[in-house]
Amino acid sequence: MALAFDEFGRPFIILKEQEQKTRLRGLDAQKANISAGRTVARILRTSLGPKGMDKMLQSPDGDVTITNDGATILEQMDVDNQIAKLMVELSRSQDYEIGDGTTGVVVVAGALLEQAEKLLERGIHPIRIAEGYEMASRIAVEHLEHIAQKFDFGVTNLEPLIQTCMTTLSSKIVNRCKRSLAEISVKAVIAVADLERKDVNLDLIKVEGKVGGKLEDTELIYGIVVDKDMSHPQMPKQIEDAKIAILTCPFEPPKPKTKHKVDIDTVEKFQTLRKQEQQYFDDMVQKCKDVGATLVICQWGFDDEANHLLMHRNLPAVRWVGGVELELIAIATGGRIVPRFQELTPEKLGKAGLVREKSFGTTKDRMLYIEHCANSRAVTIFIRGGNKMIIEETKRSIHDALCVARNLIRNNSIVYGGGSAEISCSIAVEAAADRYPGVEQYAIRAFADALDSIPMALAENSGLQPIETLSAVKSQQIKENNPHCGIDCNDIGTNDMSEQNVFETLIGKQQQILLATQVVKMILKIDDVISPSDY
């Protein structure tokens, strides 16, 4: 690149020709890759912990998202660099597998890359660094097993689950309502969980939101909420002991599949056609009445004539209900989805104790509540909030809390939060490094230093002196041999996380370390970046 001036003295830059550009190889490529990974981690670092900051993301079409959920930030960032894309994938895989800890996993990976750069500058081969990291990650994961605690909970004792979900929600925008939201999340998971098999199907929990009201109005409904109203304003707004016909066939005369044309040249023919159509509508409504249905929920629309007829025959109906909602209604009410009117039988009807239409605020937005269902395995978390962004962020926060509760039902082992688990692992890995005589011991010590990045970031984001706070907590852990000492982010006055009730799931923490190590190993092994113009 060279600087030149035109005849008027204005500077302009001359770029080298494409053919003369050299592609990155060897140590330069590794350093460039590490730099890209660290940049992504640096963006997320300030979002970590209960006092972490939020990011505002603007999409190309002007939509604004405010969040501190690591997976969402990286998902919506416009990333071109290939290594940065690997970090995005890392956060996404943590989200898919665990659902929580998406920010922490990227911060750990960034710290590992930072330490690797120092080792590369000392002349240590990247393969030896990768092997050392692999050994250290195994030591850390085994140590987590050692310091983990089992805790018992049951349908009557949900407090431990609620406390763990509160830890997750404390780092979100919604932390002022973390107690009520944690209770709602735990009750929802318990409602759909199979505790004998230790299995939870989160698809049975529907999360719905409506702008208006305040966050405290968020409620758990043992049933389904559908963002629809009755198809006719004069239909009853409340039905008790409802028998629901769930249809995927429309209230309209059948249409031929092929192209068709009907020629009507006389009034008699038109009247015959109209009579025939009316007969179709009559038969359809009568079939629903005959099987004993008191409410019809239809996937498709129906025209005014069918709507008028349904109203006159005292058969309330809801139209344009989506396929996913239809499935949830069928699961909750114990009904069957019926594709043809001819197949409708009394056994295929769903049963609900109460179906009511509820309106909100002055806009009179209406929604349908289907409650006291025959099978309460499907539930809805109904969120209220001041604006769309609050509702979307609450949905993301509740998703994290639901995942944490699910993970605890699958495996009820916990470690303590506040960076205490990372500090304890760091001490254990540092001590284990002496047992390895080879070059790998440098990488193992570097891994221990990288683990300190989480408590350091927590202290930094809480406005504390990071190095001073970390040193004090680390020495306290070693002196008292207490792996529960962490960063007192909320300034409660104790560093013991067991007293503060700050827990995290064991499998979530182990997954963070394993995934971060795998991705960093992959990045270290790249020594040549080949772009399309190079071949």
Side-chain angles (χ1 to χ4, degrees):
M1 190 170 76
L3 189 67
F5 296 89
D6 64 8
E7 65 223 48
F8 302 108
R10 290 177 302 210
F12 62 91
I13 294 168
I14 300 170
L15 292 170
K16 287 182 183 177
E17 291 298 316
Q18 187 67 35
E19 302 85 57
Q20 293 174 331
K21 282 188 178 176
T22 54
R23 74 167 185 248
L24 290 174
R25 286 194 177 94
L27 195 59
D28 289 340
Q30 282 150 355
K31 283 189 177 176
N33 295 342
I34 286 169
S35 175
R38 280 172 58 194
T39 305
V40 173
R42 209 175 294 128
I43 292 167
L44 288 196
R45 190 182 164 92
T46 54
S47 296
L48 195 69
K51 300 287 173 74
M53 307 298 272
D54 299 329
K55 308 292 177 196
M56 182 186 278
L57 302 152
Q58 189 173 0
S59 68
D61 50 358
D63 285 344
V64 172
T65 304
I66 297 173
T67 182
N68 72 352
D69 179 54
T72 309
I73 294 167
L74 292 178
E75 196 82 43
Q76 299 202 12
M77 265 169 57
D78 192 11
V79 176
D80 284 337
N81 186 284
Q82 290 76 15
I83 300 301
K85 282 179 183 171
L86 279 179
M87 300 295 266
V88 175
E89 288 289 333
L90 167 66
S91 181
R92 196 181 295 157
S93 59
Q94 176 79 8
D95 196 34
Y96 287 168
E97 190 65 25
I98 302 297
D100 187 33
T102 49
T103 308
V105 72
V106 176
V107 172
V108 170
L112 287 172
L113 288 171
E114 200 170 323
Q115 294 296 328
E117 189 170 26
K118 293 174 186 172
L119 296 176
L120 286 170
E121 281 170 357
R122 286 193 197 173
I124 297 174
H125 196 278
I127 295 295
R128 305 304 291 271
I129 299 171
E131 283 171 3
Y133 277 180
E134 184 64 40
M135 291 171 189
S137 71
R138 279 203 294 271
I139 295 162
V141 167
E142 281 168 22
H143 183 70
L144 283 172
E145 289 271 5
H146 177 64
I147 63 168
Q149 291 186 359
K150 296 267 181 205
F151 74 105
D152 296 319
F153 63 88
V155 181
T156 52
N157 176 28
L158 298 176
E159 192 57 33
L161 280 177
I162 292 167
Q163 290 291 348
T164 317
C165 289
M166 281 168 67
T167 304
T168 301
L169 293 171
S170 63
S171 64
K172 311 289 182 190
I173 293 175
V174 298
N175 63 356
R176 67 188 174 85
C177 299
K178 64 181 176 182
R179 174 81 206 185
S180 60
L181 291 178
E183 283 177 9
I184 285 170
S185 303
V186 169
K187 284 175 185 170
V189 169
I190 290 293
V192 303
D194 185 339
L195 293 175
E196 285 178 20
R197 288 174 53 216
K198 294 191 172 184
D199 187 38
V200 180
N201 183 3
L202 290 184
D203 291 338
L204 295 176
I205 301 172
K206 185 179 180 223
V207 183
E208 190 72 59
K210 194 91 174 159
V211 173
K214 52 188 186 292
L215 207 53
E216 286 84 349
D217 296 337
T218 299
E219 57 182 334
L220 175 66
I221 293 134
Y222 289 95
I224 302 297
V225 175
V226 186
D227 197 0
K228 301 285 172 195
D229 53 1
M230 295 296 181
S231 61
H232 197 289
Q234 289 174 330
M235 285 175 178
K237 305 291 182 232
Q238 187 162 317
I239 306 157
E240 290 181 8
D241 296 323
K243 291 178 179 172
I244 305 168
I246 306 165
L247 305 174
T248 55
C249 43
F251 275 94
E252 57 182 40
K255 292 185 176 74
K257 293 254 190 287
T258 55
K259 282 187 179 178
H260 64 283
K261 194 168 81 168
V262 178
D263 289 326
I264 297 173
D265 47 15
T266 63
V267 174
E268 288 78 18
K269 282 182 182 176
F270 177 74
Q271 282 174 341
T272 311
L273 180 70
R274 180 169 165 68
K275 221 173 273 178
Q276 188 66 43
E277 274 194 3
Q278 224 162 4
Q279 190 60 45
Y280 270 122
F281 289 139
D282 260 344
D283 289 348
M284 288 169 180
V285 175
Q286 197 55 47
K287 279 192 179 98
C288 294
K289 292 289 280 184
D290 288 346
V291 296
T294 57
L295 173 66
V296 173
I297 293 179
C298 186
Q299 188 174 10
W300 305 107
F302 31 84
D303 63 18
D304 291 342
E305 195 165 345
N307 204 8
H308 181 74
L309 201 61
L310 284 161
M311 196 271 291
H312 266 280
R313 294 279 183 87
N314 291 325
L315 187 58
V318 184
R319 54 186 166 186
W320 298 121
V321 177
V324 175
E325 288 171 331
L326 220 58
E327 283 178 25
L328 282 171
I329 292 167
I331 290 166
T333 59
R336 299 284 292 276
I337 297 172
V338 180
R340 285 187 205 81
F341 285 98
Q342 291 81 356
E343 293 178 19
L344 205 54
T345 60
E347 301 80 56
K348 291 182 180 176
L349 298 179
K351 293 177 181 63
L354 180 65
V355 177
R356 61 192 171 102
E357 197 183 88
K358 190 174 175 183
S359 60
F360 300 94
T362 55
T363 56
K364 293 287 180 262
D365 280 346
R366 289 185 290 275
M367 293 183 91
L368 202 69
Y369 284 49
I370 302 168
E371 298 174 276
H372 312 310
C373 300
N375 172 14
S376 63
R377 286 290 302 281
V379 297
T380 304
I381 297 173
F382 185 51
I383 298 166
R384 305 303 308 280
N387 60 23
K388 190 165 170 262
M389 276 181 272
I390 285 284
I391 285 172
E392 291 304 316
E393 180 63 2
T394 308
K395 280 184 183 178
R396 286 188 284 269
S397 305
I398 279 181
H399 166 74
D400 284 8
L402 292 172
C403 289
V404 164
R406 178 200 60 185
N407 294 341
L408 282 169
I409 286 171
R410 286 181 176 173
N411 177 357
N412 66 339
S413 296
I414 55 152
V415 290
Y416 286 92
S420 61
E422 284 86 355
I423 295 170
S424 184
C425 285
S426 171
I427 294 165
V429 171
E430 185 80 52
D434 297 334
R435 299 201 301 268
Y436 295 89
V439 178
E440 287 84 359
Q441 65 171 290
Y442 291 103
I444 294 170
R445 285 203 175 87
F447 192 97
D449 290 343
L451 285 175
D452 288 340
S453 64
I454 294 276
M456 190 95 84
L458 287 173
E460 215 169 282
N461 295 345
S462 304
L464 305 168
Q465 292 294 329
I467 297 169
E468 196 179 300
T469 309
L470 177 63
S471 307
V473 173
K474 211 169 192 179
S475 65
Q476 190 182 344
Q477 271 210 25
I478 294 166
K479 203 182 294 173
E480 297 175 10
N481 194 21
N482 178 8
H484 307 157
C485 295
I487 307 294
D488 181 16
C489 298
N490 293 321
D491 205 18
I492 289 170
T494 172
N495 286 331
D496 196 326
M497 293 297 126
S498 58
E499 286 178 30
Q500 287 200 27
N501 283 329
V502 178
F503 314 130
E504 293 186 59
T505 56
L506 169 67
I507 52 172
K509 194 57 74 182
Q510 286 179 328
Q511 192 80 2
Q512 271 189 3
I513 290 172
L514 290 170
L515 286 177
T517 309
Q518 281 175 18
V519 170
V520 168
K521 276 173 64 184
M522 184 188 288
I523 292 170
L524 286 174
K525 287 184 177 182
I526 299 169
D527 76 333
D528 199 348
V529 180
I530 304 168
S531 61
S533 59
D534 293 328
Y535 41 79

